[in-house]
Amino acid sequence: MPAGIRELIPEDRIRSRVMELAHQIDQDYADAGEILLLGVLRGSYIFVADLSRALSINRRVDFIALSSYERDTRRAGVRLIMDTRVSIEGRHILLVEDILDTGRTLAYLLEVLAARRPASIRSCVLVRKPTQEAQVTADYVGFDIPDDWVVGYGLDFDDRFRALPFIGTLDPGALD
Ligand code: XMP
Ligand code: MG
């Protein structure tokens, strides 16, 4: 275990929860024909890789990327810096995010993407913290976690720890 990290969600619990989510999504979209999994880089890349392989329904995979910037008082502190390769108009979109924290990111993305007239749009987050401020809910949630910084399974601290197979909490003061 790297210094400063404590395991919160072990690898086998992540694996079985991803299977459960995939099963639920398979059922919910049974009549949809095809869905587009839209991963938000970079934190969701491992979750998208596992979820997309656990699904049985027809699915495509694409990614978008966000950059955060200094918050002004009116707008969410995020902006789209890489857009989808395919048009999302008329498609069933499942937005896949790593973390629902304040909810500003998800609220911003749902607003931007809904304006492009997808057939439907839902969201799936790996973990949810108890800190939502924006009026937004995720349709699928992997795990509810405490309000601590988490890393691993795609999640990072300063781009470190993404490749850890489990999700752990970080004590930044104890890092090497
Ligand atoms: P909001 O507040 O907009 O934030 O819901 C969501 C985004 O904040 C990042 N975030 C984290 N990333 N460990 C991370 O690696 C964390 O504990 C954490 N908390 C928030 C994340 O990028 C998410 O998309
Ligand atoms: Mg993120």
Side-chain angles (χ1 to χ4, degrees):
M1 190 70 57
I5 293 184
R6 243 201 359 247
E7 186 172 87
L8 180 69
I9 310 172
E11 192 176 354
D12 59 339
R13 274 189 67 210
I14 298 174
R15 192 178 312 117
S16 56
R17 186 69 186 125
V18 168
M19 296 308 293
E20 286 175 4
L21 288 171
H23 186 66
Q24 185 67 54
I25 293 164
D26 276 340
Q27 291 185 334
D28 294 351
Y29 287 94
D31 300 325
E34 182 185 89
I35 66 171
L36 176 66
L37 293 177
L38 202 51
V40 182
L41 293 174
R42 285 171 283 175
S44 75
Y45 77 109
I46 293 178
F47 185 34
V48 170
D50 286 347
L51 186 66
S52 62
R53 289 179 296 175
L55 289 166
S56 300
I57 46 164
N58 294 327
R59 66 280 192 197
R60 295 179 188 228
V61 178
D62 203 351
F63 290 95
I64 56 178
L66 295 176
S67 152
S68 45
Y69 58 89
E70 289 303 308
R71 291 189 169 138
D72 75 31
T73 48
R74 286 178 309 110
R75 292 297 301 171
V78 284
R79 132 184 103 83
L80 210 53
I81 56 167
M82 188 191 93
D83 211 331
T84 58
R85 204 166 27 90
V86 296
S87 164
I88 68 167
E89 186 172 345
R91 295 182 191 272
H92 294 286
I93 304 301
L94 183 59
L95 193 60
V96 183
E97 247 285 55
D98 53 358
I99 299 198
L100 180 56
D101 186 357
T102 66
R104 290 198 193 98
T105 305
L106 192 58
Y108 166 79
L109 284 174
L110 290 172
E111 183 189 322
V112 166
L113 297 173
R116 301 177 181 180
R117 295 181 294 156
S120 70
I121 181 160
R122 287 186 190 159
S123 60
C124 176
V125 300
L126 175 63
V127 295
R128 176 171 61 189
K129 293 184 178 182
T131 35
Q132 275 92 76
E133 296 164 11
Q135 292 298 318
V136 67
T137 54
D139 299 282
Y140 304 95
V141 177
F143 301 95
D144 278 299
I145 61 166
D147 184 19
D148 294 319
W149 195 263
V150 284
V151 297
Y153 197 70
L155 304 168
D156 74 302
F157 175 74
D158 200 17
D159 264 331
R160 298 172 66 189
F161 311 117
R162 287 192 198 276
L164 291 176
F166 57 86
I167 295 172
T169 56
L170 179 78
D171 173 6
L175 289 181
D176 310 320

